Amino acid sequence: RDAVRGHCGVPSYEPVAKIGSILMAKKSYSVTIAGGGSTFTPGIALMLLEEHDRFPVDRVVFYDNNAERQEIVAKACEIYFKENAPDLDFSYTTDPEKAFTGVDFVLAHIRVGLYAMRELDEKIPLKHGVLGQETCGAGGIAYGMRSIGGVFEILDYMEKYSPNAWMLNYSNPAAIVAEACRLLRPNSRIINICDMPIDLMDKMAHMCGIKDRRELQYSYFGLNHFGWFTEIYDKEGNDLMPEIKRHMAKNGYMDGFETAGDKAQHIDESWVHTFGKAKDVYAVDPETIPNTYLKYYLFPDYVVETSNPDYTRANEVMDGREKKVFGACREIIEKGTAKGSDFEADAHATYIVDLACALAENTLERFLLIVPNDGAISNFDPTAMVEVPCIVGKNGYEKICQGQIPQFQKGMMEQQVSVEKLVVQAWAEGSYQKLWQALTLSATIPSAKIAKDVLDDLIEANKGFWPELS
Ligand code: NAD
Ligand code: G6P
Ligand code: MN
C-alpha cells in the first residue's frame, strides 16, 4: 500500500515513485473532458500529458454541446497532441454516445450560459445594490438554476454509456450542484470538488517555507466556498497554525504569493484584492483560517462599494483568460504547429490527477470533498452537503469527522445551507416561492423586497435556461 501511496501521492519520494510506475503500467485510462470548449481545457489536457507516468491516459475525448466553441480548443489541442503525444487516441464530439462510451473518468467543467450569462449574474444584482458574484449570493443562485440541468445531462449520459466510470465535477456553483446530486442522483458516481482550498494550501505552504502543499495535514469544515481551516501541521506533525495566523493577521494570504513564482494561480487584480481582504475576514474569527469566499458574506457592503457595475469579473475574464486561451488556440491552428505557442499545463490542476489516482488505485490519500454531512460535523444538519477532508480509495470516500463546530460558523452555515437547499427544491418543483425565499435568506441580500426585485429580473434574463417557475 505504501508503494501505491507514494506513487500517486507526494512525488518527491523517489524510490517509492519508481515502484509505483511499475504498478501503474498495468492499465491506461480513458478520459472524457466535458466542457471541451472551456478556457481550462487546454491546461488540464496538457497537465494530463505531463502526469502520464503516474496516471497513464491513452484516450482523451472532448465533449461539448457548443460545436463551434469546442472546435477551436479541440483543433489546437489535436495539433499539440500530434506533436507531443502521437500515440494518444484523441477525438472531439458533440455526440453523447461517442463521448461517453468506454470511459473511465469524466472530468466535467461546464458553464451553462457561458460568460454572457455570468456577466448578467454579476450585473443584475448590482443594479439593485447587492453583490454580483459567480457562485455567491444572487449570481450564484441564478447560475445554480442553470447548472443543475447541465450537470445532470452529463451524469446521465455517463451512467448510460459507462456505468462504472467516475465523474469528477468542478462545474460551479459546486455547493448547489452537489446538493442537487444528493437529493436527485444519490447513487451516482460523481465527486464534487473545488480548487480554492488547494490554492489556499499552496499559499499557506509558501508562507511556512514548504514547497509542496501535499505535505500539509489539515482539518477543515464548511460548505463549498464557505469554510474554515482549523488545524494545519507539517509532515512531522509540527503545528503551523501560529505562523500562518501571524501572516493572516498582517497581510491576509498575500505573504503566500512571494515564492509562488510564475505558476501562481488567480493573479488578476481582483483576485489579489481578495487575498488581501482575507486579513479582515480572518479578524472576524482569529481561531480559524477562512476561505477567501467568506468575504462576500461577511463584507457584502464593502464588495458592492468596490465593484464597478459596468465592468465585473466576467468582463475581466472575457478580456483576459478567454482572449488569451482562444487567441493561443487560433494561432496554433493558423500556423499548423503548437511549437512556440502559449499553451501550458495547469500545474494546479494536478489535484484532479491525484484524485483520479486515488479512485483508480486505492491510494487512500486525503482530499477536501463536498459530501453529505451525515455526522462528520456532529452539531450540524446531517443532510447538508459539507466540505470536509475525506480519505479516497477504490470504493469512494470515507469522511474524517470534524466534531463540533463553533456557534458563529454554525449560525452562518445554517443560513447558507438553507439557501442552497431552497434553490435545489425550487429547481425540482418549479417553485417561485422557494426561490424567493432562497434569495431572501442569503446573507448578501438585505430584504425580501430587494430579493423579489432581483429575482424578477433574473427570471427575465434566464428564460430558456431555468425551469418555468410558478
Ligand atoms: P467556459 O465558458 O470557458 O467553458 C464552459 C464550456 O462548457 C463551454 O464550452 C460550454 O459550451 C460548455 N457547456 C455548457 N453547457 C454544457 C452542456 N450542457 N454540455 C456540455 N458542455 C456544456 O467556462 P470556464 O470559465 O472555463 O469554466 C468552466 C467551469 O468550471 C465553470 O463552471 C467554472 O465555474 C468551473 N470552475 C470550477 C472550479 C472549482 O473550483 N470547482 C475551478 C475553476 C473553474
Ligand atoms: C476559484 C474557485 C472556482 C471559481 C474560480 C473563479 O478557483 O474555486 O470555483 O470558478 O475561482 O475564477 P475566475 O477566474 O473565473 O473568476
Ligand atoms: Mn471552487
Side-chain angles (χ1 to χ4, degrees), residues 264-286:
Q265 196 187 9
H266 299 130
I267 47 177
D268 286 346
E269 197 188 324
S270 59
W271 270 108
V272 174
H273 214 82
T274 294
F275 291 121
K277 186 68 183 171
K279 170 185 169 173
D280 296 339
V281 179
Y282 169 72
V284 182
D285 178 32

Tab-separated table of all heavy atoms in Angstrom, residues 264-286:
chain	number	residue	atom	x	y	z
A	264	ALA	N	1.843	30.990	-10.220
A	264	ALA	CA	0.787	31.425	-9.303
A	264	ALA	C	-0.569	31.446	-10.014
A	264	ALA	O	-0.675	31.831	-11.176
A	264	ALA	CB	1.111	32.801	-8.768
A	265	GLN	N	-1.584	31.028	-9.248
A	265	GLN	CA	-2.937	30.977	-9.803
A	265	GLN	C	-3.674	32.228	-9.342
A	265	GLN	O	-3.289	32.848	-8.370
A	265	GLN	CB	-3.593	29.731	-9.192
A	265	GLN	CG	-4.835	29.253	-9.879
A	265	GLN	CD	-5.462	28.122	-9.066
A	265	GLN	OE1	-5.051	27.849	-7.947
A	265	GLN	NE2	-6.452	27.470	-9.639
A	266	HIS	N	-4.751	32.602	-10.027
A	266	HIS	CA	-5.560	33.726	-9.580
A	266	HIS	C	-4.713	34.992	-9.390
A	266	HIS	O	-4.558	35.484	-8.271
A	266	HIS	CB	-6.250	33.398	-8.246
A	266	HIS	CG	-7.186	32.237	-8.327
A	266	HIS	ND1	-7.149	31.203	-7.437
A	266	HIS	CD2	-8.183	31.946	-9.189
A	266	HIS	CE1	-8.097	30.321	-7.748
A	266	HIS	NE2	-8.724	30.751	-8.799
A	267	ILE	N	-4.156	35.495	-10.493
A	267	ILE	CA	-3.225	36.618	-10.355
A	267	ILE	C	-3.816	37.951	-10.810
A	267	ILE	O	-3.181	38.977	-10.666
A	267	ILE	CB	-1.902	36.340	-11.125
A	267	ILE	CG1	-2.220	35.820	-12.513
A	267	ILE	CG2	-1.018	35.367	-10.367
A	267	ILE	CD1	-1.016	35.592	-13.371
A	268	ASP	N	-5.040	37.924	-11.358
A	268	ASP	CA	-5.641	39.187	-11.792
A	268	ASP	C	-5.862	40.099	-10.586
A	268	ASP	O	-5.979	39.632	-9.456
A	268	ASP	CB	-6.984	38.932	-12.496
A	268	ASP	CG	-6.785	38.349	-13.887
A	268	ASP	OD1	-5.647	38.404	-14.386
A	268	ASP	OD2	-7.766	37.813	-14.450
A	269	GLU	N	-5.998	41.385	-10.888
A	269	GLU	CA	-6.105	42.396	-9.838
A	269	GLU	C	-7.209	42.089	-8.818
A	269	GLU	O	-7.018	42.206	-7.602
A	269	GLU	CB	-6.373	43.743	-10.512
A	269	GLU	CG	-6.116	44.917	-9.624
A	269	GLU	CD	-6.599	46.215	-10.291
A	269	GLU	OE1	-6.470	46.317	-11.531
A	269	GLU	OE2	-7.107	47.079	-9.553
A	270	SER	N	-8.370	41.667	-9.311
A	270	SER	CA	-9.497	41.441	-8.386
A	270	SER	C	-9.194	40.286	-7.433
A	270	SER	O	-9.603	40.297	-6.271
A	270	SER	CB	-10.784	41.170	-9.161
A	270	SER	OG	-10.631	40.040	-9.978
A	271	TRP	N	-8.461	39.289	-7.912
A	271	TRP	CA	-8.095	38.172	-7.031
A	271	TRP	C	-7.072	38.615	-5.979
A	271	TRP	O	-7.158	38.240	-4.817
A	271	TRP	CB	-7.543	36.981	-7.839
A	271	TRP	CG	-8.626	36.039	-8.257
A	271	TRP	CD1	-9.114	35.865	-9.520
A	271	TRP	CD2	-9.366	35.149	-7.411
A	271	TRP	NE1	-10.112	34.924	-9.506
A	271	TRP	CE2	-10.285	34.468	-8.232
A	271	TRP	CE3	-9.351	34.867	-6.046
A	271	TRP	CZ2	-11.176	33.514	-7.729
A	271	TRP	CZ3	-10.245	33.918	-5.543
A	271	TRP	CH2	-11.138	33.251	-6.372
A	272	VAL	N	-6.115	39.413	-6.413
A	272	VAL	CA	-5.095	39.901	-5.473
A	272	VAL	C	-5.784	40.669	-4.337
A	272	VAL	O	-5.485	40.498	-3.153
A	272	VAL	CB	-4.059	40.772	-6.213
A	272	VAL	CG1	-3.081	41.412	-5.231
A	272	VAL	CG2	-3.300	39.940	-7.248
A	273	HIS	N	-6.753	41.459	-4.713
A	273	HIS	CA	-7.573	42.197	-3.763
A	273	HIS	C	-8.229	41.251	-2.747
A	273	HIS	O	-8.236	41.497	-1.549
A	273	HIS	CB	-8.662	42.890	-4.589
A	273	HIS	CG	-9.065	44.201	-4.050
A	273	HIS	ND1	-8.354	45.330	-4.299
A	273	HIS	CD2	-10.108	44.552	-3.260
A	273	HIS	CE1	-8.950	46.340	-3.694
A	273	HIS	NE2	-10.006	45.896	-3.047
A	274	THR	N	-8.791	40.177	-3.280
A	274	THR	CA	-9.483	39.187	-2.434
A	274	THR	C	-8.516	38.537	-1.446
A	274	THR	O	-8.855	38.337	-0.276
A	274	THR	CB	-10.145	38.115	-3.334
A	274	THR	OG1	-11.177	38.754	-4.080
A	274	THR	CG2	-10.749	36.980	-2.526
A	275	PHE	N	-7.301	38.222	-1.900
A	275	PHE	CA	-6.329	37.585	-0.995
A	275	PHE	C	-5.903	38.565	0.104
A	275	PHE	O	-5.668	38.160	1.239
A	275	PHE	CB	-5.114	37.071	-1.776
A	275	PHE	CG	-5.444	35.910	-2.666
A	275	PHE	CD1	-5.235	35.969	-4.037
A	275	PHE	CD2	-5.993	34.752	-2.135
A	275	PHE	CE1	-5.570	34.909	-4.861
A	275	PHE	CE2	-6.339	33.674	-2.954
A	275	PHE	CZ	-6.121	33.755	-4.315
A	276	GLY	N	-5.831	39.830	-0.229
A	276	GLY	CA	-5.513	40.838	0.783
A	276	GLY	C	-6.664	41.024	1.769
A	276	GLY	O	-6.464	41.124	2.980
A	277	LYS	N	-7.881	41.043	1.231
A	277	LYS	CA	-9.070	41.254	2.070
A	277	LYS	C	-9.238	40.116	3.090
A	277	LYS	O	-9.899	40.298	4.126
A	277	LYS	CB	-10.312	41.354	1.166
A	277	LYS	CG	-11.602	41.718	1.885
A	277	LYS	CD	-11.588	43.135	2.415
A	277	LYS	CE	-12.847	43.477	3.191
A	277	LYS	NZ	-12.730	44.784	3.892
A	278	ALA	N	-8.629	38.982	2.824
A	278	ALA	CA	-8.723	37.840	3.759
A	278	ALA	C	-8.207	38.224	5.148
A	278	ALA	O	-8.578	37.604	6.150
A	278	ALA	CB	-7.957	36.645	3.207
A	279	LYS	N	-7.388	39.284	5.219
A	279	LYS	CA	-6.935	39.779	6.521
A	279	LYS	C	-8.141	40.186	7.377
A	279	LYS	O	-8.219	39.844	8.565
A	279	LYS	CB	-6.007	40.984	6.291
A	279	LYS	CG	-5.644	41.738	7.542
A	279	LYS	CD	-4.835	42.983	7.200
A	279	LYS	CE	-4.718	43.848	8.445
A	279	LYS	NZ	-3.823	44.971	8.260
A	280	ASP	N	-9.076	40.933	6.775
A	280	ASP	CA	-10.264	41.378	7.524
A	280	ASP	C	-11.200	40.208	7.811
A	280	ASP	O	-11.857	40.169	8.848
A	280	ASP	CB	-11.021	42.450	6.731
A	280	ASP	CG	-10.188	43.712	6.543
A	280	ASP	OD1	-9.237	43.903	7.336
A	280	ASP	OD2	-10.461	44.478	5.603
A	281	VAL	N	-11.287	39.289	6.883
A	281	VAL	CA	-12.145	38.103	7.090
A	281	VAL	C	-11.584	37.290	8.252
A	281	VAL	O	-12.326	36.849	9.141
A	281	VAL	CB	-12.231	37.251	5.799
A	281	VAL	CG1	-13.097	36.016	6.023
A	281	VAL	CG2	-12.782	38.076	4.643
A	282	TYR	N	-10.274	37.145	8.274
A	282	TYR	CA	-9.605	36.399	9.359
A	282	TYR	C	-9.867	37.046	10.714
A	282	TYR	O	-10.100	36.365	11.719
A	282	TYR	CB	-8.097	36.330	9.074
A	282	TYR	CG	-7.281	35.832	10.243
A	282	TYR	CD1	-7.327	34.492	10.629
A	282	TYR	CD2	-6.469	36.706	10.983
A	282	TYR	CE1	-6.592	34.035	11.713
A	282	TYR	CE2	-5.737	36.252	12.061
A	282	TYR	CZ	-5.801	34.922	12.426
A	282	TYR	OH	-5.091	34.471	13.508
A	283	ALA	N	-9.880	38.385	10.745
A	283	ALA	CA	-10.040	39.102	12.020
A	283	ALA	C	-11.380	38.790	12.693
A	283	ALA	O	-11.497	38.859	13.915
A	283	ALA	CB	-9.918	40.610	11.776
A	284	VAL	N	-12.382	38.406	11.920
A	284	VAL	CA	-13.705	38.122	12.497
A	284	VAL	C	-13.645	36.875	13.387
A	284	VAL	O	-14.350	36.782	14.388
A	284	VAL	CB	-14.773	37.965	11.385
A	284	VAL	CG1	-16.161	37.726	11.990
A	284	VAL	CG2	-14.802	39.204	10.488
A	285	ASP	N	-12.807	35.915	13.009
A	285	ASP	CA	-12.580	34.756	13.880
A	285	ASP	C	-11.118	34.322	13.801
A	285	ASP	O	-10.750	33.485	12.975
A	285	ASP	CB	-13.489	33.576	13.499
A	285	ASP	CG	-13.174	32.392	14.401
A	285	ASP	OD1	-12.794	32.617	15.569
A	285	ASP	OD2	-13.266	31.232	13.945
A	286	PRO	N	-10.273	34.882	14.659
A	286	PRO	CA	-8.823	34.601	14.569
A	286	PRO	C	-8.430	33.191	15.008
A	286	PRO	O	-7.247	32.859	14.971
A	286	PRO	CB	-8.194	35.642	15.497
A	286	PRO	CG	-9.293	36.527	15.961
A	286	PRO	CD	-10.582	35.856	15.724
